Amino acid sequence: MNRLTSMSLILVAIFASCCSPQTPEPSRLIALKEIFTDLPILWNQDEPLAKIGNWLKALRVDWNLSDKGLQLNAPNKVTCFWAKGMKQVNVRGQTIEVSPLLCQGGSVWIPLVSLARLLGLKAIVNAEKRTVKLTSPLQKIEVSQNEIGWLATLTFGYPLSDLPKLGTLRYPERAYADFLGASLDQTDLPEVKDLNPLTGLRLGQFSDEPPIVRFVADALEPVTIRTVGREISEDGFEKWHLLIQPASKPNRWLGQIFIKENEPKRAVVLILGWLEGGINLKQSAKTVTVSLPEKPILSSDLSLPNDGILESVALETEVSGTKLTISLREPANVHWQFESNIGVAVVIESLSNRARQVRLIVVDAGHGGKDPGAISPFRSGKLQLIEKHLTLDIAFRLKSLLEKIGYKVVMTRTDDTYIPLPERVAIANSIQADAFVSIHLNAFPQPGGQWGTEVYFWTPQSYPLAECVYRNLLSLLGRKGNGIRQRQLYVVRHTIMPSVLVEPCYLNHPEEEELLRSEEFRERIALAIFRGLVEFFGDLAELKRRGE
């Protein structure tokens, strides 16, 4: 027996008297972002009433019906009891006038305008069109400047379901934030003074169905906008904090950290901010440590939403930044990935539940055809080494290693052919590869002036892959480590999957040139990249168990 059926059986005991029967009419109810069509609503002369049902879930309201009345618990800390036949309800020590609950046809019907008044929502009623909207009213806007940009705080009367959708527009320059489920109220915009390059603020009801409020910051130059975090105040209002920065020179920053998901086999920890990829993730047994280079602007709520794979999450600020310690209930595969313009997500997936899958890797042999790449200096009695030939050789060796363990490999070129950079990127993006590795060999303007190993990346989701490959290159090649470097190189900037560009050594350094003439050394380069890939995907332990 479901909840609604069992509820209907006790309705006679709940209400001793009922109002005269009315005929419900199919209507539209919009509860924040959710639209319910053909929902039965009673349209009486005072206010519309809707039968208690699943539409309350769209407001994230927990409810319980007893023989005395209706208990409501809302996400903005509102807890109240709506007694049968009563026209007043106590909320946070204040008495709110309401229409009585109604019993009809074996069901309880809730007056929607009264419900909105209790919860802090705004009810927009159109009796002619038989439409009711329950929205979160925008209450207040504040803007201030700090050392990293301009902080805009928007306060709403009721918690929204989603992060705001952010974006920028050009000519004229402006940044915007769309709040789904919100409506405009009597909100005064603050004056923008001495906040160059910001020139003004605007508000608008961007959409009515679903309701969307758009906040716009006009500027003299290109700017970025990102979400710092949200807070629920003691009076139940929801505050969204946004950071606006000049696009030409944004400062690194860390916002809130919260648990987005915690299920028995999967969890997601969302880190708001812009950290230039400066994240270090380490895993030891059932403990994961995430080192972040900044301290959070806002406090974080790390309470676990339910009993899942996460046992605990703790945050500790340090001199150099912030350390996030995640304790797991069981061994898991952990990685982090870039989340659009929101921040970074740490994704935890149970090993016991993780289906074996075929990894699809794109191996890109640098240069080719009319583009030879670097060329070793002329030496009497020795053939000059050409980068395009060596990268193809290493790429084939890497392909062979990956395919032996069941990975699928696609190469951007298999012979001495010139492939433009956009085509290399298009190959990887079109097949939605799991990873992209571009193989190159370095050169220095003054031959012999530089030597060693470097790995390049651009997006934060690519940094863990770069770290795995770099560590294995140093271990197997024994060359000097020049670092993991974030650069806007075309192939790592435009690919949508974790991507790295590898520079194992310098073709125009005498010692490393001699090493590159050896097939055994080129095999070691391929093996190091191979080990970095399987370590990144969490398959290294499985290969060791299989003796590979």
Side-chain angles (χ1 to χ4, degrees):
M1 182 180 296
N2 61 37
R3 187 177 183 182
L4 292 178
T5 303
S6 61
M7 178 191 72
S8 64
L9 294 179
I10 64 170
L11 288 177
V12 175
I14 296 177
F15 298 102
S17 61
C18 297
C19 300
S20 300
Q22 301 177 51
T23 303
E25 300 181 37
S27 308
R28 289 169 64 81
L29 174 64
I30 302 173
L32 295 179
K33 67 175 183 176
E34 300 292 336
I35 300 177
F36 299 86
T37 58
D38 297 328
L39 186 75
I41 288 182
L42 298 174
W43 291 87
N44 64 13
Q45 59 181 358
D46 296 322
E47 62 177 293
L49 298 96
K51 182 168 56 177
I52 291 178
N54 288 332
W55 59 270
L56 280 166
K57 293 181 179 178
L59 300 174
R60 305 191 306 289
V61 172
D62 293 327
W63 56 274
N64 183 52
L65 196 60
S66 69
D67 58 351
K68 295 182 180 180
L70 181 65
Q71 177 72 38
L72 297 172
N73 299 300
N76 58 347
K77 304 179 183 178
V78 167
T79 298
C80 62
F81 185 75
W82 201 335
K84 63 178 184 179
M86 298 299 293
K87 295 185 178 182
Q88 293 180 335
V89 175
N90 185 275
V91 178
R92 294 198 184 95
Q94 295 184 346
T95 300
I96 308 294
E97 301 291 332
V98 296
S99 298
L101 297 167
L102 175 65
C103 166
Q104 178 174 303
S107 299
V108 173
W109 299 72
I110 302 179
L112 295 175
V113 175
S114 297
L115 177 68
R117 196 179 301 126
L118 289 177
L119 300 183
L121 292 158
K122 180 179 180 180
I124 304 172
V125 178
N126 189 323
E128 183 179 352
K129 294 184 177 180
R130 291 299 191 252
T131 299
V132 180
K133 301 175 187 176
L134 300 177
T135 65
S136 178
L138 178 61
Q139 306 278 345
K140 185 179 180 181
I141 298 179
E142 301 168 280
V143 177
S144 61
Q145 188 171 8
N146 56 32
E147 64 275 8
I148 59 174
W150 301 271
L151 194 66
T153 300
L154 288 81
T155 303
F156 293 88
Y158 192 84
L160 299 171
S161 304
D162 299 312
L163 290 165
K165 179 184 177 182
L166 309 177
T168 57
L169 297 169
R170 305 292 309 276
Y171 313 116
E173 308 298 338
R174 57 206 188 275
Y176 69 86
D178 287 343
F179 294 89
L180 182 60
S183 61
L184 289 178
D185 212 352
Q186 295 180 349
T187 307
D188 295 327
L189 282 168
E191 291 186 17
V192 176
K193 293 182 178 179
D194 301 323
L195 292 180
N196 183 56
L198 299 187
T199 59
L201 306 175
R202 292 182 283 131
L203 282 174
Q205 192 70 46
F206 186 70
S207 169
D208 289 321
E209 292 190 18
I212 298 175
V213 166
R214 171 166 284 190
F215 165 73
V216 181
D218 294 309
L220 295 173
E221 63 182 66
V223 292
T224 63
I225 184 169
R226 288 182 172 88
T227 302
V228 176
R230 65 181 284 272
E231 297 176 286
I232 301 294
S233 63
E234 288 300 320
D235 52 10
F237 292 148
E238 180 181 60
K239 293 185 176 183
W240 283 99
H241 303 282
L242 309 174
L243 184 67
I244 304 169
Q245 293 181 302
S248 59
K249 46 183 178 180
N251 293 299
R252 196 167 61 183
W253 60 275
L254 172 63
Q256 274 186 334
I257 303 172
F258 60 92
I259 315 301
K260 183 180 180 182
E261 181 181 338
N262 185 30
E263 301 300 329
K265 299 300 181 182
R266 188 176 190 272
V268 177
V269 180
L270 194 58
I271 301 171
L272 303 180
W274 187 71
L275 300 167
E276 297 182 284
I279 295 179
N280 185 21
L281 186 150
K282 294 182 179 180
Q283 184 175 4
S284 175
K286 294 187 290 183
T287 301
V288 178
T289 303
V290 184
S291 298
L292 307 166
E294 297 293 330
K295 297 179 181 179
I297 298 173
L298 299 176
S299 60
S300 299
D301 179 10
L302 298 178
S303 58
L304 302 180
N306 48 43
D307 192 16
I309 193 172
L310 300 182
E311 187 171 53
S312 65
V313 180
L315 194 66
E316 180 184 356
T317 57
E318 302 175 324
V319 175
S320 59
T322 301
K323 183 173 75 172
L324 184 68
T325 303
I326 303 171
S327 297
L328 308 177
R329 298 187 186 278
E330 61 179 84
N333 178 56
V334 183
H335 70 277
W336 63 277
Q337 61 192 32
F338 180 65
E339 291 288 309
S340 186
N341 62 352
I342 297 173
V344 168
V346 178
V347 181
I348 299 100
E349 294 176 305
S350 171
L351 293 175
S352 61
N353 191 53
R354 196 172 124 223
R356 290 292 301 165
Q357 58 181 320
V358 177
R359 309 290 187 190
L360 178 55
I361 312 298
V362 171
V363 177
D364 174 47
H367 308 283
K370 66 180 182 181
D371 177 15
I375 301 175
S376 65
F378 175 78
R379 300 183 191 281
S380 178
K382 290 192 176 183
L383 291 175
Q384 286 183 285
L385 297 181
I386 302 175
E387 183 180 1
K388 67 177 182 177
H389 295 153
L390 297 177
T391 58
L392 186 61
D393 176 78
I394 296 168
F396 272 120
R397 294 173 186 274
L398 175 59
K399 178 177 183 289
S400 177
L401 290 168
L402 291 169
E403 289 179 339
K404 283 180 181 178
I405 64 165
Y407 280 27
K408 184 177 179 180
V409 177
V410 173
M411 296 180 64
T412 57
R413 68 180 181 96
T414 57
D415 54 21
D416 188 15
T417 304
Y418 173 73
I419 307 293
L421 297 182
E423 287 188 26
R424 298 172 191 247
V425 168
I427 290 170
N429 289 346
S430 64
I431 63 175
Q432 296 185 330
D434 294 308
F436 175 93
V437 178
S438 186
I439 300 170
H440 287 255
L441 293 165
N442 228 328
F444 196 69
Q446 291 78 40
Q450 180 61 285
W451 63 284
T453 300
E454 297 152 24
V455 175
Y456 294 85
F457 77 104
W458 175 243
T459 64
Q461 68 169 339
S462 300
Y463 181 81
L465 175 59
E467 187 179 43
C468 290
V469 171
Y470 181 69
R471 183 170 58 251
N472 280 281
L473 283 168
L474 295 186
S475 175
L476 292 181
L477 303 187
R479 310 307 296 164
K480 180 182 69 170
N482 294 327
I484 303 170
R485 301 178 176 181
Q486 186 177 33
R487 296 287 188 275
Q488 294 192 52
L489 304 175
Y490 192 92
V491 292
V492 296
R493 181 161 56 99
H494 292 282
T495 39
I496 61 176
M497 68 289 303
S499 304
V500 294
L501 188 147
V502 181
E503 301 269 17
C505 54
Y506 280 72
L507 185 57
N508 64 353
H509 183 275
E511 184 179 343
E512 295 191 333
E513 175 192 335
E514 285 303 311
L515 288 171
L516 286 167
R517 293 182 184 276
S518 164
E519 288 191 14
E520 186 272 337
F521 185 76
R522 299 198 297 272
E523 183 71 19
R524 270 194 282 154
I525 293 174
L527 181 61
I529 300 172
F530 162 81
R531 289 179 61 86
L533 280 165
V534 296
E535 183 181 322
F536 169 73
F537 285 115
D539 297 330
L540 192 58
E542 174 67 19
L543 294 178
K544 287 179 179 178
R545 284 195 294 270
R546 286 159 42 184
E548 297 182 18

